[in-house]
Amino acid sequence: MIEEMSNKKINITAENCVGCRICQLTCSFLYTKTFNPSKARIKISEVYGLVPIIEFSDDCVYCGECANNCLYGALELIEGGNDEF
Amino acid sequence: MMNFKGYTGNILDIDLSNNKIKTQKEKFEDLKKFIGGMGINCLLAAERLKPQLDPFSPENPIIIGTGPLVGTIMPGSSRTTGITKFPASGAIANVCGGMSFGFQLKQAGYDHLIISGRLEKPSYLMITNNQIELVEAKDLWGKDIIFTTDFMWKNYKDCGVIAIGQAGENKVYGALTLIDKTSTFGRGGLGAVMGSKNLKAIVVRGSNGIEIAYPKEFRVKYQTFIERIRNYPQRESWIELGMLRSLPVGMILNAKGEKRKARQCNDRNYLKMIKKRRFACPTCPMADKDILEIREGEFNGLINYTSSVINPFLMLTSDCLKSYSEAIKIYDLISRYGLDSLTMTSLVDIISKMVKKDELSNEDLGFEWKEDFSSFKKLIGLITYKEGIGDIIAKGWANVKQVDDNFEEEKLTVKGLDVVFEPRFLKLGTMEFEQVVNPKGAHVASGGSPTYVGAGGGLGKMKSHFDRMGIPRNAHERIFKPPKAEMFINVGRLTRYSEDWYTVLTSLGLCARAQMNRFYSLDLVTEFYNLITGFESSREELILAAERSWNLLKILNVNEGFSRKDDRFPNNWFKPLKYGENNLELYDFYGNVQITPKIANQLLDDYYDERGWDTATGIPLKSKLQELDLMKYLF
């Protein structure tokens, strides 16, 4: 699954997500100066399900900080065209 | 009033008997003296827990805490700690677990939770920020932990859950709870204490967020730190294998002569046949939690969540279980009921031995002992529902003497809790020694660093661990002076500092597991603590707070009547252990010197001496309590 805006995209591999929430904490810290998953623009449901569900809220600008900080290969920031996808 | 950063500053205090709920504020001076998490839990217990209480009385509080780093992005900062008086040992003990409960509690706006009293009807406690509800649980009472947790996740979505199973409901002494149906929390009877309060579960979710004192400086420091962890060369293999990397169960089974079982527990079989998914506690960069799946045979399709695959694998040391799938199935049942897999495995082992020696008959047991899966399953069912022999066993190891006097000879317990790590197999490191001196009884986690790094690292590596943990240089000489020179290290003296380091981590809310704790040092955690809270604490203040907390935990148990007489090496440790074709004896950590009762006593003397306690009684000296400002808590 690919979420995109302008020339940046975030490739999601939900099977790799371990539910650590580092992406949500990175996002909320960057935009609200607090650690608060409920304020993050990346939403994860069924964190401990067999495969978590990862989505982005409407106000996400695809800055890619969540992907840069993901340690498990669940999020990958792609810059440039989308031909290869 | 000071606005604490990192901390929420709030303690939620709930009296179940009167449905009274209040929030009290934490005091700055208490946080400086006890940090948070485990430390503040000890202080709250000292204030709230009257000596000599019946663990099942409504007055026995359950105190749950998190640390100032929990709820932030600090790597491995999701610890939930608890304290209560435990039925299995009669001790007031610290417990610790992972997963999302502590994280959610902080996000909801609370550092600590005190639950006292007793509910009239079985209910669960639901905390959503400042909305606190007790919800009747008549449809959940009688259901297992996994059912209960799934129910909460379905109804409340993103929440942390501490739940009990039928063993807790029935007040089986050793019953524990699971956090998020994964992390064991409260071995020795927290589940039973919750059951005595008619409290089926505690559920929390929060959306308040955590502010920190120095966001810019924190961000820079964090990025450097997380990149160091990301680039750790062994990280990938840790995440692939989880805790199986740290404890190759196959080695233990091979030593027992169980080659077929050992093959089933090797890395290849785990990865190919059993591992379903890796998952993690909040903020963990070294994910090690396991979702397991059985993909063949009678139990095909069974999914089990566990803090590690080594839990069911270790159960294969039991002669009752013949395959990994039987072990996972039994482990799943034990998890559902809320029993302890280590206790059940050692109990079954004792029963098997006694039946073989004709010391225990089918008549004594009340059913035919076939030494197989069905016998194991039957026994845990009887214990959970306290039927027949299960009723006797459910009241703890001290009570099983009623079944047969020989139980006294066979059992390996300290203060009523069965031992976790067998030092005749693993040698006497700090974790093994900790089982003797921990106020709770046989408990290993707080004896962790640094001997679990293994003897292979040599003394140089050991010294670097000492520095990392903040052991003062003037203690090195004493630690390197064991009762016999060939032992190299004095585990008695070293254990004191392992406990203090564990207490620092657990009070801050950081994970103490080896693969995570290895990245931390006292200097580093002090720096992060100050950036998060805005305090200007020194490393010495943190270590002193840990020492103070441990001493307070100790005197709470001195007030219960515990002393050196209870810090007892089990007699059987001094006898050979027949293990497969091997006869194993108790040796020092480096395997050079056999530990005799005389050496064991010397190590105990050294432990008390290093703590500043009376070596004759094992009780903190007045001078130590005065130094730590704790005299008022000793009765």
mmCIF file with all atom_site columns, all heavy atoms in Angstrom, chain B residues 523-537:
data_model
loop_
_atom_site.group_PDB
_atom_site.id
_atom_site.type_symbol
_atom_site.label_atom_id
_atom_site.label_alt_id
_atom_site.label_comp_id
_atom_site.label_asym_id
_atom_site.label_entity_id
_atom_site.label_seq_id
_atom_site.pdbx_PDB_ins_code
_atom_site.Cartn_x
_atom_site.Cartn_y
_atom_site.Cartn_z
_atom_site.occupancy
_atom_site.B_iso_or_equiv
_atom_site.pdbx_formal_charge
_atom_site.auth_seq_id
_atom_site.auth_comp_id
_atom_site.auth_asym_id
_atom_site.auth_atom_id
_atom_site.pdbx_PDB_model_num
ATOM 1   N N   . ASP B 1 523 ? 25.253 6.993  33.665 1.00 0.00 ? 523 ASP B N   1
ATOM 2   C CA  . ASP B 1 523 ? 25.443 8.366  33.166 1.00 0.00 ? 523 ASP B CA  1
ATOM 3   C C   . ASP B 1 523 ? 24.364 8.725  32.146 1.00 0.00 ? 523 ASP B C   1
ATOM 4   O O   . ASP B 1 523 ? 23.782 9.802  32.193 1.00 0.00 ? 523 ASP B O   1
ATOM 5   C CB  . ASP B 1 523 ? 26.824 8.514  32.511 1.00 0.00 ? 523 ASP B CB  1
ATOM 6   C CG  . ASP B 1 523 ? 27.924 8.545  33.550 1.00 0.00 ? 523 ASP B CG  1
ATOM 7   O OD1 . ASP B 1 523 ? 27.667 9.017  34.661 1.00 0.00 ? 523 ASP B OD1 1
ATOM 8   O OD2 . ASP B 1 523 ? 29.042 8.081  33.250 1.00 0.00 ? 523 ASP B OD2 1
ATOM 9   N N   . LEU B 1 524 ? 24.128 7.806  31.215 1.00 0.00 ? 524 LEU B N   1
ATOM 10  C CA  . LEU B 1 524 ? 23.177 8.088  30.137 1.00 0.00 ? 524 LEU B CA  1
ATOM 11  C C   . LEU B 1 524 ? 21.749 8.239  30.676 1.00 0.00 ? 524 LEU B C   1
ATOM 12  O O   . LEU B 1 524 ? 21.024 9.163  30.290 1.00 0.00 ? 524 LEU B O   1
ATOM 13  C CB  . LEU B 1 524 ? 23.236 6.963  29.099 1.00 0.00 ? 524 LEU B CB  1
ATOM 14  C CG  . LEU B 1 524 ? 22.515 7.241  27.796 1.00 0.00 ? 524 LEU B CG  1
ATOM 15  C CD1 . LEU B 1 524 ? 23.255 8.300  26.992 1.00 0.00 ? 524 LEU B CD1 1
ATOM 16  C CD2 . LEU B 1 524 ? 22.393 5.968  26.965 1.00 0.00 ? 524 LEU B CD2 1
ATOM 17  N N   . VAL B 1 525 ? 21.339 7.333  31.552 1.00 0.00 ? 525 VAL B N   1
ATOM 18  C CA  . VAL B 1 525 ? 19.957 7.433  32.047 1.00 0.00 ? 525 VAL B CA  1
ATOM 19  C C   . VAL B 1 525 ? 19.775 8.691  32.904 1.00 0.00 ? 525 VAL B C   1
ATOM 20  O O   . VAL B 1 525 ? 18.709 9.297  32.905 1.00 0.00 ? 525 VAL B O   1
ATOM 21  C CB  . VAL B 1 525 ? 19.465 6.162  32.803 1.00 0.00 ? 525 VAL B CB  1
ATOM 22  C CG1 . VAL B 1 525 ? 19.477 4.961  31.890 1.00 0.00 ? 525 VAL B CG1 1
ATOM 23  C CG2 . VAL B 1 525 ? 20.225 5.905  34.081 1.00 0.00 ? 525 VAL B CG2 1
ATOM 24  N N   . THR B 1 526 ? 20.839 9.082  33.598 1.00 0.00 ? 526 THR B N   1
ATOM 25  C CA  . THR B 1 526 ? 20.749 10.316 34.398 1.00 0.00 ? 526 THR B CA  1
ATOM 26  C C   . THR B 1 526 ? 20.538 11.508 33.472 1.00 0.00 ? 526 THR B C   1
ATOM 27  O O   . THR B 1 526 ? 19.699 12.394 33.739 1.00 0.00 ? 526 THR B O   1
ATOM 28  C CB  . THR B 1 526 ? 22.041 10.522 35.228 1.00 0.00 ? 526 THR B CB  1
ATOM 29  O OG1 . THR B 1 526 ? 22.272 9.360  36.013 1.00 0.00 ? 526 THR B OG1 1
ATOM 30  C CG2 . THR B 1 526 ? 21.917 11.728 36.141 1.00 0.00 ? 526 THR B CG2 1
ATOM 31  N N   . GLU B 1 527 ? 21.286 11.520 32.368 1.00 0.00 ? 527 GLU B N   1
ATOM 32  C CA  . GLU B 1 527 ? 21.186 12.634 31.428 1.00 0.00 ? 527 GLU B CA  1
ATOM 33  C C   . GLU B 1 527 ? 19.777 12.707 30.821 1.00 0.00 ? 527 GLU B C   1
ATOM 34  O O   . GLU B 1 527 ? 19.158 13.774 30.761 1.00 0.00 ? 527 GLU B O   1
ATOM 35  C CB  . GLU B 1 527 ? 22.225 12.428 30.321 1.00 0.00 ? 527 GLU B CB  1
ATOM 36  C CG  . GLU B 1 527 ? 22.649 13.705 29.682 1.00 0.00 ? 527 GLU B CG  1
ATOM 37  C CD  . GLU B 1 527 ? 23.824 13.497 28.719 1.00 0.00 ? 527 GLU B CD  1
ATOM 38  O OE1 . GLU B 1 527 ? 24.580 12.504 28.873 1.00 0.00 ? 527 GLU B OE1 1
ATOM 39  O OE2 . GLU B 1 527 ? 23.938 14.306 27.813 1.00 0.00 ? 527 GLU B OE2 1
ATOM 40  N N   . PHE B 1 528 ? 19.268 11.569 30.384 1.00 0.00 ? 528 PHE B N   1
ATOM 41  C CA  . PHE B 1 528 ? 17.916 11.552 29.806 1.00 0.00 ? 528 PHE B CA  1
ATOM 42  C C   . PHE B 1 528 ? 16.855 11.910 30.854 1.00 0.00 ? 528 PHE B C   1
ATOM 43  O O   . PHE B 1 528 ? 15.895 12.621 30.560 1.00 0.00 ? 528 PHE B O   1
ATOM 44  C CB  . PHE B 1 528 ? 17.600 10.179 29.197 1.00 0.00 ? 528 PHE B CB  1
ATOM 45  C CG  . PHE B 1 528 ? 18.065 10.042 27.768 1.00 0.00 ? 528 PHE B CG  1
ATOM 46  C CD1 . PHE B 1 528 ? 18.999 9.089  27.410 1.00 0.00 ? 528 PHE B CD1 1
ATOM 47  C CD2 . PHE B 1 528 ? 17.563 10.866 26.772 1.00 0.00 ? 528 PHE B CD2 1
ATOM 48  C CE1 . PHE B 1 528 ? 19.427 8.960  26.096 1.00 0.00 ? 528 PHE B CE1 1
ATOM 49  C CE2 . PHE B 1 528 ? 17.984 10.747 25.451 1.00 0.00 ? 528 PHE B CE2 1
ATOM 50  C CZ  . PHE B 1 528 ? 18.917 9.791  25.114 1.00 0.00 ? 528 PHE B CZ  1
ATOM 51  N N   . TYR B 1 529 ? 17.037 11.409 32.050 1.00 0.00 ? 529 TYR B N   1
ATOM 52  C CA  . TYR B 1 529 ? 16.090 11.702 33.137 1.00 0.00 ? 529 TYR B CA  1
ATOM 53  C C   . TYR B 1 529 ? 15.989 13.219 33.359 1.00 0.00 ? 529 TYR B C   1
ATOM 54  O O   . TYR B 1 529 ? 14.896 13.779 33.474 1.00 0.00 ? 529 TYR B O   1
ATOM 55  C CB  . TYR B 1 529 ? 16.573 10.995 34.406 1.00 0.00 ? 529 TYR B CB  1
ATOM 56  C CG  . TYR B 1 529 ? 15.784 11.285 35.661 1.00 0.00 ? 529 TYR B CG  1
ATOM 57  C CD1 . TYR B 1 529 ? 14.440 10.956 35.764 1.00 0.00 ? 529 TYR B CD1 1
ATOM 58  C CD2 . TYR B 1 529 ? 16.393 11.877 36.774 1.00 0.00 ? 529 TYR B CD2 1
ATOM 59  C CE1 . TYR B 1 529 ? 13.725 11.204 36.931 1.00 0.00 ? 529 TYR B CE1 1
ATOM 60  C CE2 . TYR B 1 529 ? 15.696 12.125 37.940 1.00 0.00 ? 529 TYR B CE2 1
ATOM 61  C CZ  . TYR B 1 529 ? 14.352 11.790 38.016 1.00 0.00 ? 529 TYR B CZ  1
ATOM 62  O OH  . TYR B 1 529 ? 13.654 12.034 39.157 1.00 0.00 ? 529 TYR B OH  1
ATOM 63  N N   . ASN B 1 530 ? 17.130 13.884 33.372 1.00 0.00 ? 530 ASN B N   1
ATOM 64  C CA  . ASN B 1 530 ? 17.134 15.335 33.591 1.00 0.00 ? 530 ASN B CA  1
ATOM 65  C C   . ASN B 1 530 ? 16.538 16.083 32.406 1.00 0.00 ? 530 ASN B C   1
ATOM 66  O O   . ASN B 1 530 ? 15.813 17.069 32.590 1.00 0.00 ? 530 ASN B O   1
ATOM 67  C CB  . ASN B 1 530 ? 18.557 15.815 33.882 1.00 0.00 ? 530 ASN B CB  1
ATOM 68  C CG  . ASN B 1 530 ? 19.032 15.377 35.272 1.00 0.00 ? 530 ASN B CG  1
ATOM 69  O OD1 . ASN B 1 530 ? 18.218 15.137 36.162 1.00 0.00 ? 530 ASN B OD1 1
ATOM 70  N ND2 . ASN B 1 530 ? 20.333 15.249 35.440 1.00 0.00 ? 530 ASN B ND2 1
ATOM 71  N N   . LEU B 1 531 ? 16.820 15.625 31.188 1.00 0.00 ? 531 LEU B N   1
ATOM 72  C CA  . LEU B 1 531 ? 16.249 16.289 30.002 1.00 0.00 ? 531 LEU B CA  1
ATOM 73  C C   . LEU B 1 531 ? 14.727 16.137 29.971 1.00 0.00 ? 531 LEU B C   1
ATOM 74  O O   . LEU B 1 531 ? 14.010 17.036 29.540 1.00 0.00 ? 531 LEU B O   1
ATOM 75  C CB  . LEU B 1 531 ? 16.838 15.692 28.715 1.00 0.00 ? 531 LEU B CB  1
ATOM 76  C CG  . LEU B 1 531 ? 18.295 16.039 28.399 1.00 0.00 ? 531 LEU B CG  1
ATOM 77  C CD1 . LEU B 1 531 ? 18.788 15.258 27.185 1.00 0.00 ? 531 LEU B CD1 1
ATOM 78  C CD2 . LEU B 1 531 ? 18.457 17.535 28.167 1.00 0.00 ? 531 LEU B CD2 1
ATOM 79  N N   . ILE B 1 532 ? 14.251 15.003 30.433 1.00 0.00 ? 532 ILE B N   1
ATOM 80  C CA  . ILE B 1 532 ? 12.803 14.748 30.409 1.00 0.00 ? 532 ILE B CA  1
ATOM 81  C C   . ILE B 1 532 ? 12.085 15.463 31.550 1.00 0.00 ? 532 ILE B C   1
ATOM 82  O O   . ILE B 1 532 ? 11.046 16.080 31.363 1.00 0.00 ? 532 ILE B O   1
ATOM 83  C CB  . ILE B 1 532 ? 12.531 13.225 30.414 1.00 0.00 ? 532 ILE B CB  1
ATOM 84  C CG1 . ILE B 1 532 ? 12.881 12.652 29.024 1.00 0.00 ? 532 ILE B CG1 1
ATOM 85  C CG2 . ILE B 1 532 ? 11.084 12.896 30.787 1.00 0.00 ? 532 ILE B CG2 1
ATOM 86  C CD1 . ILE B 1 532 ? 12.871 11.152 28.921 1.00 0.00 ? 532 ILE B CD1 1
ATOM 87  N N   . THR B 1 533 ? 12.659 15.395 32.753 1.00 0.00 ? 533 THR B N   1
ATOM 88  C CA  . THR B 1 533 ? 11.946 15.932 33.923 1.00 0.00 ? 533 THR B CA  1
ATOM 89  C C   . THR B 1 533 ? 12.274 17.400 34.206 1.00 0.00 ? 533 THR B C   1
ATOM 90  O O   . THR B 1 533 ? 11.476 18.100 34.838 1.00 0.00 ? 533 THR B O   1
ATOM 91  C CB  . THR B 1 533 ? 12.305 15.134 35.193 1.00 0.00 ? 533 THR B CB  1
ATOM 92  O OG1 . THR B 1 533 ? 13.729 15.225 35.381 1.00 0.00 ? 533 THR B OG1 1
ATOM 93  C CG2 . THR B 1 533 ? 11.904 13.683 35.070 1.00 0.00 ? 533 THR B CG2 1
ATOM 94  N N   . GLY B 1 534 ? 13.442 17.829 33.766 1.00 0.00 ? 534 GLY B N   1
ATOM 95  C CA  . GLY B 1 534 ? 13.880 19.175 34.135 1.00 0.00 ? 534 GLY B CA  1
ATOM 96  C C   . GLY B 1 534 ? 14.575 19.201 35.488 1.00 0.00 ? 534 GLY B C   1
ATOM 97  O O   . GLY B 1 534 ? 14.998 20.258 35.955 1.00 0.00 ? 534 GLY B O   1
ATOM 98  N N   . PHE B 1 535 ? 14.707 18.044 36.124 1.00 0.00 ? 535 PHE B N   1
ATOM 99  C CA  . PHE B 1 535 ? 15.424 17.974 37.400 1.00 0.00 ? 535 PHE B CA  1
ATOM 100 C C   . PHE B 1 535 ? 16.926 18.120 37.117 1.00 0.00 ? 535 PHE B C   1
ATOM 101 O O   . PHE B 1 535 ? 17.369 17.968 35.980 1.00 0.00 ? 535 PHE B O   1
ATOM 102 C CB  . PHE B 1 535 ? 15.187 16.624 38.094 1.00 0.00 ? 535 PHE B CB  1
ATOM 103 C CG  . PHE B 1 535 ? 13.778 16.420 38.595 1.00 0.00 ? 535 PHE B CG  1
ATOM 104 C CD1 . PHE B 1 535 ? 12.799 17.381 38.412 1.00 0.00 ? 535 PHE B CD1 1
ATOM 105 C CD2 . PHE B 1 535 ? 13.434 15.250 39.248 1.00 0.00 ? 535 PHE B CD2 1
ATOM 106 C CE1 . PHE B 1 535 ? 11.494 17.181 38.881 1.00 0.00 ? 535 PHE B CE1 1
ATOM 107 C CE2 . PHE B 1 535 ? 12.141 15.035 39.721 1.00 0.00 ? 535 PHE B CE2 1
ATOM 108 C CZ  . PHE B 1 535 ? 11.173 15.996 39.534 1.00 0.00 ? 535 PHE B CZ  1
ATOM 109 N N   . GLU B 1 536 ? 17.660 18.385 38.159 1.00 0.00 ? 536 GLU B N   1
ATOM 110 C CA  . GLU B 1 536 ? 19.122 18.435 37.999 1.00 0.00 ? 536 GLU B CA  1
ATOM 111 C C   . GLU B 1 536 ? 19.736 17.395 38.920 1.00 0.00 ? 536 GLU B C   1
ATOM 112 O O   . GLU B 1 536 ? 20.557 17.698 39.780 1.00 0.00 ? 536 GLU B O   1
ATOM 113 C CB  . GLU B 1 536 ? 19.627 19.839 38.317 1.00 0.00 ? 536 GLU B CB  1
ATOM 114 C CG  . GLU B 1 536 ? 19.179 20.843 37.263 1.00 0.00 ? 536 GLU B CG  1
ATOM 115 C CD  . GLU B 1 536 ? 19.540 22.271 37.624 1.00 0.00 ? 536 GLU B CD  1
ATOM 116 O OE1 . GLU B 1 536 ? 20.022 22.504 38.743 1.00 0.00 ? 536 GLU B OE1 1
ATOM 117 O OE2 . GLU B 1 536 ? 19.313 23.144 36.766 1.00 0.00 ? 536 GLU B OE2 1
ATOM 118 N N   . SER B 1 537 ? 19.314 16.161 38.725 1.00 0.00 ? 537 SER B N   1
ATOM 119 C CA  . SER B 1 537 ? 19.796 15.090 39.597 1.00 0.00 ? 537 SER B CA  1
ATOM 120 C C   . SER B 1 537 ? 21.167 14.615 39.134 1.00 0.00 ? 537 SER B C   1
ATOM 121 O O   . SER B 1 537 ? 21.474 14.653 37.944 1.00 0.00 ? 537 SER B O   1
ATOM 122 C CB  . SER B 1 537 ? 18.822 13.912 39.568 1.00 0.00 ? 537 SER B CB  1
ATOM 123 O OG  . SER B 1 537 ? 17.598 14.281 40.145 1.00 0.00 ? 537 SER B OG  1
#
